């Protein structure tokens, strides 16, 4: 008999996490456990208010979809095993993840960058009145690869001005400079700055990709936006068919969803899978990080297990 158990879990951020849209102290996620005989599978949702989601909507969807799973999970197991074989990815080629520095004063952000020196790649959240000062302060203390993310906060004009000013500080790329639906703005920015532009809020599902071609250099894929591993795979293939670079990112998530995403990183150019590194009460263990490099577990399936 198939048993589905979904429960909310509050992941506690080690320090408040600020981006241009606001500040977060916890992430209210939902963990799903599916048991059939002695087989247990785990899944996770990190609902985002920006996308109209909450733990309540996630739980309601699980209740709605649970009836469609049927009584025989073995079909799903077959599909997953087949998928694993099709994936055939080399775990040695798992990407290195960036470590995110949320918005704070330039001095505090430089301090956090210094404290994160075990990570060779930093993702700096911008979208403030002192963006240039932030990057300058971090560059003074860090030689890490730096990526910046404005989370839609800039106007196209402001983005062009700021990105040109940031360019001399050795920035790898800029994520989502302008609002999600301003595709003309994205193109205007891309055509007038020397750094690659990666979409995030503009690239939610596979349908979004074709209209972004020519407007961005690459897309950030997240399981929490697109719906999981199968859909993320489809997005990777569609993006590659359009010559786009691919990044795989995350929300604030436990080791369940982070590990699930890490398994696809041998296929991508950039990984930003640090959601579990930013919390201090992760109920699960899975992927680990060594000098920034994602180390995939070799246990079956996702390879995650509840923390002892
Ligand atoms: Mg982003």
């Amino acid at each position: 008999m198939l048993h589905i158990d979904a429960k909310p879990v509050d992941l506690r951020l080690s320090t408040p996490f600020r981006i241009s849209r606001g500040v977060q102290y916890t992430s209210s996620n939902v963990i799903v456990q599916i048991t059939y005989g002695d087989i247990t599978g785990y899944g996770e949702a990190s609902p985002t208010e920006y996308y109209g989601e909450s733990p309540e909507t996630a739980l309601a969807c699980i209740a709605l979809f649970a009836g469609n799973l049927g009584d025989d999970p073995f079909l799903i197991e077959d599909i997953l095993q087949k998928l694993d074989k099709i994936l055939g990815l080399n775990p040695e080629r798992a990407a290195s993840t960036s470590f995110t520095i949320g918005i704070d004063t330039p001095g505090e952000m430089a301090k956090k960058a210094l404290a994160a020196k075990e990570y060779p790649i930093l993702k700096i959240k911008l979208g403030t009145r002192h963006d240039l000062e932030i990057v300058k302060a971090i560059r003074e203390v860090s030689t890490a690869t730096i990526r910046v993310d404005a989370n839609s906060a800039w106007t196209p004009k402001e983005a062009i001005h700021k990105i040109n000013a940031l360019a001399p500080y050795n920035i790898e790329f800029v994520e989502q400079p302008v609002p999600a639906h301003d595709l003309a703005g994205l193109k205007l920015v891309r055509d007038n700055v020397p750094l690659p532009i990666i979409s995030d809020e503009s690239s939610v599902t596979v349908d979004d990709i074709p209209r972004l071609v020519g407007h961005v250099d690459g897309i950030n894929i997240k399981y929490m936006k697109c719906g999981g591993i199968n859909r993320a795979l489809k997005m990777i293939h569609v993006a590659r068919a359009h010559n786009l670079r691919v990044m795989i990112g995350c929300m604030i998530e436990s080791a369940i969803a982070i590990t699930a995403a890490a398994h696809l990183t041998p296929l991508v150019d950039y990984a930003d899978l640090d959601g579990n590194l930013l919390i201090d009460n992760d109920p699960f263990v899975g992927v680990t990080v060594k000098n920034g490099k994602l180390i995939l577990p070799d246990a079956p399936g996702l390879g995650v297990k509840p923390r002892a």
Side-chain angles (χ1 to χ4, degrees):
M1 186 64 194
L2 191 64
H3 182 72
I4 301 171
D5 189 29
K7 58 174 185 216
V9 59
D10 277 342
L11 301 180
R12 205 170 45 223
L13 283 147
S14 309
T15 60
F17 182 66
R18 186 180 292 277
I19 68 168
S20 57
R21 274 193 292 277
V23 63
Q24 214 180 339
Y25 301 91
T26 58
S27 184
S28 298
N29 290 13
V30 172
I31 287 176
V32 190
Q33 180 176 329
I34 298 182
T35 309
Y36 185 83
D38 55 2
I39 298 170
T40 300
Y42 297 101
E44 180 177 9
S46 179
T48 304
E49 210 183 315
Y50 176 81
Y51 295 110
E53 301 163 345
S54 67
E56 290 71 29
T57 63
L59 287 165
C61 284
I62 292 163
L64 193 67
F65 299 147
N68 296 332
L69 292 182
D71 289 328
D72 182 2
F74 289 110
L75 184 59
I76 297 170
E77 287 297 317
D78 281 355
I79 291 166
L80 287 176
Q81 277 176 17
K82 230 187 282 170
L83 186 69
D84 283 346
K85 281 188 186 127
I86 295 165
L87 283 176
L89 302 178
N90 182 353
E92 298 293 316
R93 298 191 58 191
S96 288
T97 181
S98 50
F99 183 81
T100 303
I101 310 287
I103 291 173
D104 207 321
T105 62
E108 279 304 313
M109 289 175 74
K111 251 188 236 169
K112 285 180 185 167
L114 200 57
K117 61 174 181 289
E118 68 188 282
Y119 300 99
I121 311 169
L122 296 176
K123 176 155 131 176
I124 311 301
K125 291 290 191 180
L126 297 181
T128 72
R129 273 176 296 179
H130 42 259
D131 290 333
L132 186 59
E133 289 72 17
I134 288 170
V135 172
K136 273 187 190 170
I138 290 172
R139 255 297 164 247
E140 270 170 30
V141 299
S142 173
T143 57
T145 296
I146 292 182
R147 304 165 176 173
V148 302
D149 185 359
N151 285 105
S152 318
W154 298 329
T155 64
K157 194 176 158 192
E158 185 184 9
I160 291 168
H161 175 74
K162 286 193 169 174
I163 295 168
N164 278 291
L166 290 171
Y169 294 90
N170 193 13
I171 309 296
E172 189 177 27
F173 60 71
V174 177
E175 200 177 312
Q176 197 68 45
V178 302
H181 299 294
D182 189 3
L183 301 190
L186 273 177
K187 180 165 171 50
L188 186 70
V189 173
R190 185 186 181 224
D191 289 345
N192 287 283
V193 301
L195 298 178
I197 302 296
I198 307 288
S199 62
D200 179 358
E201 284 86 341
S202 300
S203 46
V204 176
T205 65
V206 71
D207 309 347
D208 296 321
I209 298 174
R211 60 175 165 263
L212 285 167
V213 176
H215 296 241
V216 296
D217 297 281
I219 63 164
N220 184 356
I221 296 170
K222 295 178 180 170
Y223 284 16
M224 297 302 145
K225 293 189 297 179
C226 72
I229 194 163
N230 296 28
R231 288 168 184 177
L233 255 180
K234 205 176 278 180
M235 287 184 81
I236 292 171
H237 295 316
V238 171
R240 292 304 192 196
H242 286 100
N243 253 323
L244 290 166
R245 300 186 203 178
V246 177
M247 170 176 182
I248 192 155
C250 64
M251 307 297 188
I252 304 302
E253 298 161 12
S254 78
I256 298 173
I258 295 293
T259 305
H263 281 289
L264 282 192
T265 63
L267 290 176
V268 306
D269 303 298
Y270 315 113
D272 176 34
L273 294 177
D274 64 344
N276 59 331
L277 304 176
L278 304 176
I279 57 175
D280 62 14
N281 64 334
D282 194 337
F284 277 75
V285 289
V287 67
T288 55
V289 180
K290 197 172 177 194
N291 300 321
K293 169 114 172 141
L294 294 161
I295 312 291
L296 299 173
D298 56 9
L302 298 183
V304 298
K305 57 177 190 234
R307 190 176 291 278

